[in-house]
Amino acid sequence: MSFLWQSAVRTRARRCRASRAVRVGWMLLLAASAGASRVHAEDWPMYQHDPARSGVTAETLALPLAEAWIYRPRYAPQPAWGDPKDKPVEGILELRRYHFDDAFQVAVADGAVFFGSSADNKVFCLDAASGSIRWTRITGGPIRLAPTFAEGRLYVGSDDGYAYCLDPKDGSIVWRFRAAPEDRRVLGHGRMISLWPLRSGVLVDGGVAYLAAGIFPGEGVFLYALDAKTGRELWRNDTCGEDPRSGISPQGYLLASKTTLYAPLGRVSPAAFDRQTGKFKRQTYFGKTIGGTYALLAGEHVYTGTEEVMAYHGESHDRFATYPGRKIIVAGDMAYLATDTELIALDRAKFPPASRKLQSLKSQLQALNETPAAKRTEAQKRQIETLGGQIKIAQQEAAATFRWRIPSTHYESLILAGGTLLAGGAGGVVAVEAATGRVVWTAKVEGTAKGLAVAGGRLFVSTDRGTIHCFGAGGGPSPAEVREPTDPELPPFSPVSPLLKRAAASILEQSGVRQGYCLVLGFETGQLARELARQSDLMVYCVSPDATKVAAAREMLDRAGVYGARVCVEQWPLDRVPYADYFANLIVSESAVLGGELPGAAEVFRMLKPEGGVAVLGQPALDPDARRAKVRPIEAGALRRWCDDARLEGAELSDKDGVWLKFVRGSIAGGGRWTHLYGNPGNTGCGDDRALRCPLGVLWFGQPGPAAMVNRHARAAGPLAVGGRLFVQGENVVMAYDAYNGRQLWEQKIPGALRENASHDGSNLAADATSFFVAVGDKCLRLEAATGRVLDSYAMPGCRRAVRRRRRHTPSADRPPRRRA
């Protein structure tokens, strides 16, 4: 018995141990599976996934997908630069090369979606599963490039000249670094931004944050490496723009290899800098069709281009291959192209030699074609014919390296997720099996799909309308719509709200200014700015030295749905506002309306636009609520003393509905005019301005942009400037802009309004203080300078009579010319 019992006990123990081992084994297997799932579920921590901007992730998608949610912004993206002409110039349709901010590109990490807005100056954090807004963070300017998520922090660059490190949980600021050499603001495309905006984003790799500030080499360009944890400066390159011939203007996402930092420059190939020191290494030029803000790295090769994609060795800068596409993905032994009409998969090893051969033949043919056909020798003609045949053979050899090709017009965005190629274009997205080219899924989106990201089994699509579409395996038949809460009809916040509403109406009526830029120099609540925006078309900037008031006003205006796009609030000392001279069409003060101090006259005069800028200070008659709120009344004497101390001639005092001071600024003493192509009717090339002094700097930049303008090589007639207006002729259109802040005043389409080769043939434009003259065909139009309205049309003398007159005075062989006695 004893033996049997002991045997049974041992058997039972072995079974228990085996059972426990099985349970532990299953637990380890499940844990391993869960761990593998977590590792496999990749984030999309930055634009195009990684520092090489490869657009490649190991994350897979369980197709087909269903749309889970759509985020609809208050305002669509506001790109920094406009599109070129929509018709060919010299047989070439030029594409937009500065296209880094056409959509709200996203970073996805830890179950959250992060993006910045160029429309309302904010960083957004959405829940990846539902699209609901977790938090927003306001910065001092438009945010044009996607944030970067690294080691539990979020990094973003703004047009305000600062780089921000944020806590991704709540958006609080961990550190902020001023990349601009000073706080100096100018109007750029209608927005008050730093003269040194961050148009490179913030790239974080290996614990180091890289960024660039500045777009005008003449004003200085700055490249930085910072400690990503603390924001401490590691190195700085501030000499990029010192050479007068410098073409360094970083715009677009930075790229990083192990040794080199690359900065896209827009129209040419990226500039290369040493990652350890920031020292400039090189910049190359591959021709006018190669360039753009689109660039990526694959091994030692840089891929960049707009009309076509050029690949070159990053260190030697030797050409590797030229790809006929708008977008490219490089993965393993394959490359995938998105062209205007096709998606193509090609062999990476076989295509480059065929490409180099083809490009060599094309270059030889182009050189021969530069000789006019009438002057070509017979040998040249035979050589051209031979090269034509060789090019056809080379094109066939290049096409033989294609693994597959399918028709497609989805060329605006391209990524690779696992074994699935995803391409975005106008109105939709297509998913293609990377190995075969078989289309496995399609979806529609609102607008053009400019950005794609895959993370956590979801596909995120960013469009040029600002919408962000989320597709996932668990989407329903009707996707959730996500909008930022907006309440434009917010109730009054205090007893002074009615007073501020009346003040806004009175200011607009007295000034007559309802468009342009308004500066509220000193505020208490921000409600005056809100009312000015509601009752007019003004873009309003508010300044206060009080951080608490600034934060409260931003929150209120953001809830009202006007922040960024219509009203901006910033903290600056009232006697040292870093805004550009002459920018404001209207200057007011909410502090003055509420009985506080009047703003400094020197700053008012400096920022007020000449030739019609208006400052209105004062307050309406106080109502009982305002008196109970202890609003101190303004005395007319205080306004008169302020005006006398500032020596503002022509200011007017009014007691209509309260007490008000109105000052309209006139022209600058000694300011000149530029009325003809070369300055004046005598074409001396000399202006009569005696006020301008060096050194000079950027005051504003922006419109009209390239779309309406004549190609620069055609030497069109130059702009004219009279009476504070800048008159510009495009192609079949004339336009007027405010010479002091760049705001468009009017536009008039006139067929035939065009003069090329003006350097030889002269201009067709002239202007004075009241009129703008445009010669079109056989007549001259007189337009009202202030509105662009056509006032008169002057016919030219009859052509036949002019011809007869010329013949009568033309000497002939049998009749000598008559001479005066």
Side-chain angles (χ1 to χ4, degrees):
M1 279 297 290
S2 175
F3 172 78
L4 291 174
W5 181 81
Q6 291 175 358
S7 177
V9 170
R10 285 196 296 270
T11 301
R12 189 179 299 113
R14 284 195 299 270
R15 289 175 177 172
C16 290
R17 286 196 297 271
S19 177
R20 284 197 299 272
V22 170
R23 289 197 299 271
V24 170
W26 275 108
M27 291 171 65
L28 290 174
L29 180 61
L30 290 172
S33 299
S37 175
R38 284 194 296 272
V39 171
H40 185 62
E42 286 194 11
D43 288 333
W44 190 276
M46 61 188 75
Y47 173 74
Q48 289 295 91
H49 185 265
D50 48 58
R53 312 301 184 184
S54 70
V56 179
T57 175
E59 179 75 4
T60 60
L61 294 171
L63 301 173
L65 303 176
E67 193 164 20
W69 52 263
I70 308 173
Y71 170 77
R72 301 185 191 278
R74 290 172 178 167
Y75 305 99
Q78 302 294 315
W81 305 102
D83 289 319
K85 287 186 177 299
D86 57 0
K87 63 180 182 179
V89 176
E90 299 176 357
I92 299 175
L93 179 63
E94 185 176 3
L95 303 177
R96 183 177 183 177
R97 302 193 183 190
Y98 292 87
H99 47 72
F100 52 84
D101 58 350
D102 291 356
F104 299 147
Q105 302 280 358
V106 303
V108 187
D110 285 355
V113 179
F114 306 98
F115 65 93
S117 170
S118 56
D120 47 17
N121 303 2
K122 289 193 295 186
V123 185
F124 288 78
C125 175
L126 310 182
D127 183 85
S130 66
S132 60
I133 299 174
R134 292 184 179 179
W135 55 260
T136 64
R137 163 64 58 180
I138 292 174
T139 70
I143 299 171
R144 302 193 174 280
L145 294 96
T148 295
F149 183 93
E151 298 181 359
R153 300 281 178 83
L154 191 70
Y155 302 85
V156 65
S158 172
D159 268 7
D160 63 5
Y162 284 80
Y164 295 80
C165 175
L166 307 177
D167 187 328
K169 296 183 178 63
D170 57 11
S172 58
I173 297 177
V174 178
W175 55 257
R176 188 179 72 148
F177 177 81
R178 192 185 75 189
E182 61 179 293
D183 281 320
R184 180 178 165 195
R185 301 292 196 264
V186 299
L187 286 169
H189 287 96
R191 307 293 292 272
M192 189 66 75
I193 64 172
S194 171
L195 184 55
W196 301 273
L198 270 66
R199 297 280 173 86
S200 66
V202 179
L203 173 63
V204 181
D205 187 37
V208 180
Y210 302 94
L211 53 118
I215 58 177
F216 299 109
E219 297 286 358
V221 174
F222 303 84
L223 192 69
Y224 296 91
L226 312 177
D227 184 295
K229 289 185 178 180
T230 65
R232 179 177 60 89
E233 183 178 314
L234 302 178
W235 56 251
R236 173 197 308 189
N237 182 338
D238 56 4
T239 62
C240 300
E242 289 186 352
D243 188 333
R245 297 165 297 176
S246 172
I248 304 298
S249 177
Q251 299 194 65
Y253 292 92
L254 297 174
L255 309 91
S257 68
K258 291 182 180 180
T259 61
T260 306
L261 185 70
Y262 295 94
L265 303 179
R267 293 193 62 84
V268 295
S269 61
F273 300 86
D274 186 277
R275 271 188 70 166
Q276 299 302 315
T277 65
K279 183 179 179 180
F280 175 70
K281 296 173 73 172
R282 68 185 65 85
Q283 176 192 344
T284 57
Y285 178 70
F286 293 112
K288 63 182 181 180
T289 63
I290 305 300
T293 56
Y294 176 70
L296 60 92
L297 297 174
E300 297 297 325
H301 293 111
V302 180
Y303 294 74
T304 186
T306 303
E307 316 290 342
E308 56 189 352
V309 177
M310 167 70 71
Y312 62 94
H313 195 281
E315 294 302 321
S316 67
H317 275 221
D318 293 334
R319 292 195 188 200
F320 175 67
T322 303
Y323 298 87
R326 303 281 186 85
K327 295 290 186 292
I328 188 169
I329 292 292
V330 180
D333 62 350
M334 296 293 295
Y336 304 93
L337 290 175
T339 76
D340 291 0
T341 58
E342 291 181 307
L343 289 175
I344 301 172
L346 54 84
D347 189 305
R348 280 189 67 200
K350 296 179 180 179
F351 179 80
S355 169
R356 290 194 293 270
K357 177 181 177 181
L358 178 60
Q359 291 302 315
S360 176
L361 294 170
K362 285 184 175 180
S363 297
Q364 295 176 49
L365 181 62
Q366 182 179 2
L368 288 169
N369 283 331
E370 289 179 358
T371 303
K375 296 182 179 181
R376 292 172 190 164
T377 65
E378 290 300 321
Q380 287 177 320
K381 293 177 182 178
R382 288 194 299 270
Q383 192 175 0
I384 288 175
E385 185 177 351
T386 301
L387 283 172
Q390 292 175 340
I391 286 173
K392 289 182 180 179
I393 294 173
Q395 289 173 334
Q396 293 171 359
E397 292 173 352
T401 68
F402 296 173
R403 297 282 184 86
W404 54 257
R405 60 198 302 180
I406 61 172
S408 173
T409 56
H410 295 77
Y411 57 81
E412 296 285 356
S413 50
L414 190 68
I415 65 172
L416 180 65
T420 304
L421 189 70
L422 295 145
V429 181
V430 60
V432 177
E433 194 174 72
T436 65
R438 183 173 63 92
V439 175
V440 292
W441 176 76
T442 61
K444 293 181 179 181
V445 296
E446 298 177 8
T448 299
K450 295 276 189 174
L452 302 173
V454 170
R458 300 183 180 93
L459 169 65
F460 303 90
V461 183
S462 301
T463 77
D464 59 351
R465 296 185 185 179
T467 56
I468 298 175
H469 299 250
C470 174
F471 297 89
S478 56
E481 282 202 9
V482 181
R483 297 178 184 268
E484 193 173 4
T486 301
D487 188 359
E489 300 299 330
L490 288 172
F493 288 89
S494 68
V496 300
S497 296
L499 178 71
L500 293 171
K501 186 174 183 178
R502 287 194 292 115
S506 184
I507 288 169
L508 294 173
E509 180 183 359
Q510 292 186 62
S511 68
V513 178
R514 293 182 174 271
Q515 294 180 327
Y517 303 98
C518 173
L519 173 63
V520 180
L521 195 57
F523 67 87
E524 305 301 318
T525 69
Q527 293 181 65
L528 178 63
R530 174 190 165 208
E531 287 299 330
L532 289 169
R534 288 183 60 181
Q535 299 180 37
S536 73
D537 295 323
L538 289 164
M539 178 70 195
V540 186
Y541 287 92
C542 304
V543 174
S544 171
D546 191 315
T548 302
K549 293 176 182 177
V550 168
R554 282 182 169 181
E555 181 181 359
M556 180 270 293
L557 293 165
D558 192 28
R559 287 174 55 202
V562 297
Y563 193 84
R566 295 296 312 285
V567 184
C568 290
V569 179
E570 295 191 280
Q571 181 186 356
W572 302 113
L574 298 184
D575 60 342
R576 294 189 309 278
V577 182
Y579 293 167
D581 296 351
Y582 313 143
F583 89 92
N585 298 83
L586 176 65
I587 295 181
V588 301
S589 172
E590 183 184 317
S591 298
V593 171
L594 297 179
E597 293 186 6
L598 296 171
E603 282 293 82
V604 170
F605 189 76
R606 178 183 68 81
M607 291 182 283
L608 189 63
K609 189 189 86 68
E611 312 275 0
V614 183
V616 179
L617 301 174
Q619 68 181 185
L622 299 183
D623 55 25
D625 288 338
R627 295 184 183 279
R628 283 193 293 270
K630 299 182 179 179
V631 174
R632 185 169 62 88
I634 293 181
E635 297 180 356
L639 291 175
R640 189 176 292 106
R641 286 190 298 273
W642 182 89
C643 185
D644 292 342
D645 292 342
R647 298 180 180 178
L648 300 180
E649 298 181 1
E652 301 176 356
L653 278 172
S654 169
D655 58 0
K656 182 180 179 181
D657 184 30
V659 55
W660 297 98
L661 172 71
K662 174 184 173 182
F663 170 70
V664 181
R665 184 169 182 179
S667 59
I668 295 177
R673 308 181 304 167
W674 197 270
T675 61
H676 293 71
L677 178 62
Y678 295 109
N680 49 47
N683 287 325
T684 65
C686 298
D688 58 354
D689 193 299
R690 300 186 305 279
L692 196 63
R693 296 289 184 272
C694 290
L696 306 179
V698 175
L699 190 67
W700 59 264
F701 64 94
Q703 297 300 325
M709 299 303 293
V710 181
N711 184 280
R712 65 186 184 279
H713 299 295
R715 300 187 297 276
L720 309 178
V722 188
R725 302 182 184 95
L726 186 70
F727 300 101
V728 182
Q729 181 174 238
E731 189 170 346
N732 301 312
V733 62
V734 291
M735 300 158 281
Y737 294 85
D738 192 304
Y740 295 101
N741 59 31
R743 182 177 71 90
Q744 188 178 55
L745 303 176
W746 52 260
E747 176 180 303
Q748 184 72 264
K749 293 183 179 180
I750 302 175
L754 174 67
R755 178 64 59 88
E756 297 180 340
N757 203 34
S759 58
H760 292 68
D761 297 340
S763 172
N764 62 325
L765 308 177
D768 61 23
T770 61
S771 303
F772 176 49
F773 300 89
V774 185
V776 180
D778 60 352
K779 61 180 180 291
C780 178
L781 303 178
R782 181 168 75 93
L783 281 63
E784 188 174 40
T787 66
R789 182 168 59 93
V790 177
L791 300 177
D792 289 296
S793 177
Y794 308 104
M796 300 297 287
C799 294
R800 292 182 180 178
R801 185 169 52 189
V803 169
R804 286 197 300 270
R805 186 182 302 114
R806 285 198 299 272
R807 286 176 178 172
R808 188 165 55 248
H809 293 285
T810 300
S812 63
D814 57 348
R815 186 184 65 189
R818 293 191 298 174
R819 300 181 182 274
R820 290 188 178 182

